[in-house]
Amino acid sequence: MTESPATPISPAPTTTDEAIGAVGTATAALTWRAGRVYRHGVPHRVLSGALHYFRVHPGLWRDRIRRLADLGLNTVDTYVPWNFHQPREDMAPRFDGWRDVERFIRTVGEEGLDVIVRPGPYICAEWSNGGLPSWLTGRDVAVRSSDPAFTSAVGRWFDELIPRIAALQAAEGGPVVAVQVENEFGSFGDDRAYLRWNRRALTARGIRELLFTADGPTELMLDGGTLPGTLTAVTLGSKPDAARRLLAARRPDEPFVVAEFWNGWFDHWGEPHHVRGVDSAVGTLRGIVADGGSVSIYMAHGGTNFGLWAGANESEGRLQPVVTSYDSDAPIAEDGSLTAKFFAVREALGARGPLRSPARPETLPPARVPLVHRADLLAGLRAVPAPTSTAARPASFEQLGLDAGMVLHTAHPRIPAGEHRLLLTDVRDRALVFRDGTLLGTAEPGSPELPLHGTGDAVRLEVLAENLGRVNYGPGIGAHKGLLGPVLVDRRTVQGWDSTPVALQEWSAAELTAALAAGPATTHTGFAVATLRVDTPADTFLALPGSGRGLVWVNGFLLGRYWEIGPQITLYCPAPLLRPGENTVTVLELERLGRELELRDRPELGPPQEYVEEFG
């Protein structure tokens, strides 16, 4: 957030780039001086909550915004994920329907709240590729840098996005009072010229409200991510007093602003369900807002990673894919329920007004519905038309222009008689391997080898490579997906591959129908349907007891991924996805199809484990 003209920076800006941070602040809604924030000249404390329009069904935006207001907040902050608006380079960015960020911002304003916009272009957020489109990161480009190949693409995106945000600024009668410059850049790099470019890209396209950077409260991160002339905010989960002292030493005249207070945490597949105790979260919150501190609670309402938009982390070369739920143990749960943390935070913030929303949204009654197995896995996938690429090597997702989903690779190697070793030298992230239609096994980075028996004849070798989530944080951003290295039979490379993209996230009802019609089913994997009859649509939570791993669509909408390794057991299905009468749930099972679909009236996100994110 930039300073008001009444707030001199010491030392004063000496370059044009630094001065740009102050452009137009005479009319900015939020200003600061002497360590305090002002709104239109009146002392003010920003009490914000993160709410992502792309993680909440548009039919529920207003409900969730009202719940944030009832929490005692005066501001909503949201990221803008570039890849959600422009998944393909050859298509113009979309700003309609679920992607209508302008409608979301206007709705926040109608509910009497301010808006903070965080346009990136990188957003992290446990979102696929940190919000960067894979069609860009798949090239030889230095992401998040001054590389012209990167900044020129970002500039074209900002040409589409930023004027829409600028038109909704407080100076124009809208609710937008602040815009973030990049996002936690200091935990990634130190290209100060790129940060200055990002700030100029905002102001040149009309942003006149408060600008700010946001970084972890360490010397290393603040050195890399801050700019003279632009307010420094921090992101943290604990130790606000230490962060306040560090900022006071570096920026003595600036107010203490926490752009993200992590009052909960997200989950990875195969790991515990992270929660944070109420007393711990509220104690840290009180420390932040003491003495006039401003805060944004991350997340106030987490929502859901619908479709295949969940990101991933990477630790020592091991992928940690994020689950479908983004509940984040937030005060307002994934389904909108008001938690014990909600009421404790509300009390800590001094909110006194009546609650306008029920503590729990209505749910459908629990039920069990049979799953009808319609088509086998490979037959169903082959039945959906898609362009096939033929080359000596398997084509990567990026070479096929595929962001998410799977690729079906087919080759016909001759296998000598006897026992052999089939090695997938670099698979990202997981692959099912078939010989003449029969499953040989699963290959992944930690177990890339499978036994292969030969008879001297050629075999049909099929490898179904799956992207489990693109890395959203750290140096692994932009990593490619698919079969990235040779496939070996002993020491011999298998050559001559057909690669067919399976763009599950883009499938329409026609593609689902084609897959389901590819029966009869003769294996334990593939496509199945369940029919729900609903009188009045309401929320429900779907579980698949006995099933292993796969995807679920509701009336043609891709709800997300399920996986028996947990921690998440149920998938949240919001009421607007259902309709009165007959509803169709389609399941793509990759390992072992169970017999039924369960409708539950409460979520099951797994055994809880206390977790508080801390910087050293």
Side-chain angles (χ1 to χ4, degrees), residues 152-210:
S152 61
V154 176
R156 290 189 293 273
W157 160 235
F158 275 10
D159 286 343
E160 297 283 349
L161 171 66
I162 300 305
R164 300 171 186 271
I165 306 304
L168 293 167
Q169 293 176 107
E172 304 294 335
V176 176
V177 297
V179 177
Q180 182 173 291
V181 179
E182 236 275 353
N183 183 56
E184 294 184 314
F185 184 71
S187 61
F188 178 82
D190 58 8
D191 186 344
R192 194 65 59 86
Y194 164 63
L195 272 188
R196 290 195 299 266
W197 177 91
N198 196 291
R199 183 173 61 186
R200 288 197 308 271
L202 298 174
T203 58
R205 290 165 176 81
I207 296 301
R208 296 292 180 266
E209 299 296 336
L210 204 57

Side-chain angles (χ1 to χ4, degrees), residues 104-458:
F104 175 78
I105 291 172
R106 286 193 297 267
T107 304
V108 175
E110 290 165 4
E111 293 299 320
L113 303 180
D114 289 340
V115 177
I116 296 172
V117 179
R118 309 170 77 187
Y122 163 77
I123 67 168
C124 186
E126 292 69 60
W127 187 259
S128 175
N129 221 30
L132 298 175
S134 59
W135 54 258
L136 175 61
T137 59
R139 302 172 185 163
D140 183 16
V141 57
V143 300
R144 305 181 72 190
S145 81
S146 299
D147 181 352
F150 183 70
T151 55
S152 61
V154 176
R156 290 189 293 273
W157 160 235
F158 275 10
D159 286 343
E160 297 283 349
L161 171 66
I162 300 305
R164 300 171 186 271
I165 306 304
L168 293 167
Q169 293 176 107
E172 304 294 335
V176 176
V177 297
V179 177
Q180 182 173 291
V181 179
E182 236 275 353
N183 183 56
E184 294 184 314
F185 184 71
S187 61
F188 178 82
D190 58 8
D191 186 344
R192 194 65 59 86
Y194 164 63
L195 272 188
R196 290 195 299 266
W197 177 91
N198 196 291
R199 183 173 61 186
R200 288 197 308 271
L202 298 174
T203 58
R205 290 165 176 81
I207 296 301
R208 296 292 180 266
E209 299 296 336
L210 204 57
L211 296 178
F212 67 102
T213 59
D215 289 281
T218 71
E219 297 280 7
L220 180 75
M221 295 179 182
L222 294 174
D223 284 348
T226 60
L227 283 172
T230 302
L231 182 64
T232 297
V234 292
T235 60
L236 54 79
S238 59
K239 304 176 183 177
D241 291 343
R244 182 183 267 109
R245 289 192 298 270
L246 177 61
L247 285 182
R250 295 176 63 104
R251 302 283 187 112
D253 295 325
E254 295 186 6
F256 183 54
V257 178
V258 175
E260 291 185 14
F261 162 49
W262 306 316
N263 73 119
W265 204 245
F266 56 90
D267 295 337
H268 297 125
W269 289 113
E271 299 180 16
H273 169 47
H274 295 127
V275 299
R276 182 169 184 178
V278 171
D279 291 343
S280 168
V282 171
T284 300
L285 177 62
R286 291 184 186 276
I288 293 170
V289 300
D291 193 27
S294 291
V295 67
S296 184
I297 297 171
Y298 192 98
M299 298 290 297
H301 171 61
T304 307
N305 294 313
F306 291 113
L308 299 175
W309 289 112
N313 292 99
E314 196 171 43
S315 177
E316 299 179 348
R318 182 176 65 89
L319 191 77
Q320 298 171 291
V322 174
V323 303
T324 302
S325 171
Y326 201 61
D327 178 86
S328 303
D329 194 34
I332 303 166
E334 181 180 14
D335 66 332
S337 292
L338 308 182
T339 68
K341 190 178 290 182
F342 173 95
F343 292 101
V345 168
R346 176 178 157 90
E347 180 181 6
L349 297 180
R352 296 289 182 267
L355 296 177
R356 294 174 293 169
S357 304
R360 286 199 70 224
E362 292 185 4
T363 60
L364 297 177
R368 294 172 181 261
V369 183
L371 277 174
V372 180
H373 194 179
R374 291 281 186 83
D376 289 337
L377 175 60
L378 292 179
L381 296 179
R382 293 193 201 106
V384 177
T388 295
S389 170
T390 300
R393 297 181 297 181
S396 69
F397 277 58
E398 291 70 27
Q399 289 170 325
L400 295 170
L402 182 64
D403 178 63
M406 306 173 186
V407 176
L408 181 59
H409 304 279
T410 306
H412 297 87
R414 186 176 300 279
I415 310 299
E419 304 304 319
H420 301 276
R421 183 182 68 142
L422 181 68
L423 179 65
L424 282 65
T425 60
D426 191 2
V427 56
R428 305 297 168 133
D429 298 306
R430 190 178 175 94
L432 299 176
V433 182
F434 300 84
R435 172 201 165 132
D436 295 329
T438 299
L439 180 67
L440 287 177
T442 301
E444 51 194 346
S447 53
E449 185 177 321
L450 294 169
L452 179 63
H453 178 75
T455 63
D457 295 326

Side-chain angles (χ1 to χ4, degrees), residues 71-82:
L71 184 58
L73 303 179
N74 55 33
T75 307
V76 169
D77 92 61
T78 186
Y79 282 123
V80 180
W82 181 2

